[in-house]
Amino acid sequence: METPQDPSPIEHRLREGLSRLALVLRADDWNRARHVGLTPTQLAILEMLEARAGLTVKEIASHLGVSQPTVTDSIAALERKTAAVRRTGEADRRSTIVVATPAGIGMLQASRAIDGETGRAAGTLASDEQEALLVTLVRLITSLQEQQAIPIQRMCASCRYFAPFAHDDQAKPHHCRFVDAAFGQRELRIDCRDHDTADPASRAATWEAFQAG
Ligand code: SF4
């Protein structure tokens, strides 16, 4: 029998904890999507398209970790709901890209009115606990990117505008060169619309500086 003196490895118990959170996150996603007449996959596609000039089906499938036929079906449904349209790509006229419509962005914004259980639970944490959790999530996501389990996300840690610990100010140690402003750990972005992926060498140097700070 498992006892507190002889628990399973901590990696196993962390995974158990994350899987419990994932269950609630899935339920939250369904509630948010249902609120605006979409499925979670359709809502996730609109989230990806927000503030982007358009993505191909292949890019969307890669980011979401689902098959291209699944994405194609969801885009057809989004088109029927006037939430997205397909267009010829501007950079590559042979490609077809998917773009969110103003109606689709409206649905996305309306869905954000539903806070969800995970958001409420995160709100019960103390401020320093929230900050520590955010930094831990950035580390976990970065590790998953390095293992190529997921594509590069639009986080500060991979952004060419990010200068970690550029300021001698505990409250606002980081600098965003895009808006030319200092910001704190609590403001680290997980999905920033102004993100621009740094080249691999700069990304590695930035990550080292972030870790060292
Ligand atoms: S542009 Fe966005 S992702 Fe990049 S450093 Fe600024 S806030 Fe972070």
Side-chain angles (χ1 to χ4, degrees), residues 59-205:
E59 287 169 331
I60 294 171
S62 162
H63 274 273
L64 291 183
V66 298
S67 70
Q68 291 189 38
T70 299
V71 171
T72 302
D73 288 349
S74 295
I75 288 164
L78 285 171
E79 284 184 311
R80 284 196 298 278
K81 295 171 186 176
T82 69
V85 288
R86 274 180 257 222
R87 284 193 194 140
T88 302
E90 280 177 20
D92 178 358
R93 307 291 299 172
R94 291 162 304 175
S95 69
T96 300
I97 57 169
V98 187
V99 180
T101 63
I105 296 302
M107 288 175 184
L108 184 59
Q109 286 165 350
S111 78
R112 290 179 177 150
I114 307 295
D115 195 14
E117 299 299 334
T118 37
R120 270 192 287 279
T124 66
L125 297 177
S127 174
D128 58 338
E129 291 173 323
Q130 290 176 338
E131 187 176 307
L133 179 58
L134 180 63
V135 172
T136 300
L137 288 173
V138 168
R139 292 203 167 109
L140 280 175
I141 294 168
T142 301
S143 174
L144 288 167
Q145 289 173 175
E146 279 168 11
Q147 295 165 42
Q148 298 187 342
I150 54 172
I152 302 281
Q153 305 296 303
R154 298 192 294 184
M155 300 196 302
C156 294
S158 60
C159 179
R160 75 184 180 95
Y161 300 118
F162 184 46
F165 298 101
H167 302 287
D168 194 16
D169 176 352
Q170 271 202 328
K172 290 183 182 292
H174 308 309
H175 195 84
C176 171
R177 289 190 286 260
F178 184 78
V179 291
D180 193 20
F183 66 99
Q185 292 274 74
R186 284 182 73 79
E187 282 89 50
L188 284 169
R189 310 300 201 275
I190 298 286
D191 188 24
C192 175
R193 62 179 59 195
D194 301 316
H195 176 273
D196 195 357
T197 305
D199 61 70
S202 307
R203 260 198 333 264

